Amino acid sequence: MPGLLEFDRNCLMVLRRSLLAVAPFEGCALLLGDQDDSNSDKGCSIWNVRLIWPCCNVWEPGMSSLPEGSLDPNLGAELLPSRKCRFALDPREQLQAQRFAREHNWQVLGSAHSHPGGEAVPSVMDHRWAILPSLLVIVAGSGNVRAWWMTGVQPGQQHEVAHLGQW
Ligand SMILES: [Zn+2]
């Protein structure tokens, strides 16, 4: 688990710009970099994000065997599953990113996606779909960025990870 997430140079700016460019749809990206575990015994290993790898949101209805949730008629059509409230990373882009990371002695540290109309906190679907444990960075429509260490499929099963970087 990262004690601190450090975004290199303009990574944070690139992340916000690229993810929010596709609003009102959710944008997504992979976070490539390295881990400094030299202080991990003190519980503060630092993960450095060196490169943002923007990905296409390839989510489509029915692509997951997981339940899509039900529409609450009181809350309107916005709750219908769509790329406005779902995201999926293209597996081919993930493979390319992994290969690129290996060539640079980096790893894929985690993923990021946007909540164009919401808060930068994991949704119920984010918990259900998360690979556990994993690093999940969320960018709100306001531009607010928060990083989470996902530990379980239930809402609340997460720890916030402090992050640093130039805006
Ligand atoms: Zn989400």
Side-chain angles (χ1 to χ4, degrees):
M1 172 183 163
L4 179 69
L5 190 63
E6 266 196 48
F7 288 88
D8 241 18
R9 300 183 306 277
N10 59 353
C11 280
L12 209 43
M13 187 190 72
V14 170
L15 183 69
R16 289 157 77 228
R17 279 204 190 152
S18 57
L19 263 56
L20 295 178
V22 294
F25 300 113
E26 292 195 359
C28 47
L30 292 168
L31 308 171
L32 276 57
D34 47 54
Q35 302 176 355
D36 176 2
D37 288 323
S38 53
N39 286 316
S40 60
D41 54 326
K42 295 172 199 146
C44 56
S45 75
I46 299 170
W47 290 17
N48 302 292
V49 178
R50 309 287 188 192
L51 185 88
I52 304 299
W53 189 281
C55 296
C56 291
N57 182 353
V58 297
W59 187 87
E60 284 177 5
M63 76 178 293
S64 165
S65 55
L66 293 163
E68 302 291 354
S70 57
L71 176 65
D72 182 341
N74 298 318
L75 293 173
E78 284 300 312
L79 271 193
L80 274 173
S82 80
R83 285 179 196 168
K84 291 180 185 176
C85 54
R86 299 279 191 282
F87 80 100
L89 296 157
D90 187 334
R92 286 168 301 181
E93 286 182 311
Q94 294 189 62
L95 282 176
Q96 285 171 5
Q98 276 164 5
R99 196 175 304 141
F100 186 91
R102 266 200 304 272
E103 286 166 9
H104 289 77
N105 276 329
W106 294 337
Q107 3 183 343
V108 176
L109 299 173
S111 69
H113 69 283
S114 58
H115 286 173
E119 299 293 318
V121 293
S123 69
V124 171
M125 294 308 294
D126 290 337
H127 277 281
R128 274 191 213 163
W129 286 42
I131 297 160
L132 299 170
S134 67
L135 177 70
L136 187 67
V137 170
I138 303 179
V139 182
S142 64
N144 190 27
V145 177
R146 294 173 80 177
W148 304 93
W149 184 248
M150 305 290 282
T151 58
V153 295
Q154 300 296 330
Q157 294 182 320
Q158 77 239 3
H159 303 286
E160 182 153 18
V161 180
H163 67 274
L164 290 173
Q166 283 182 7
W167 292 73

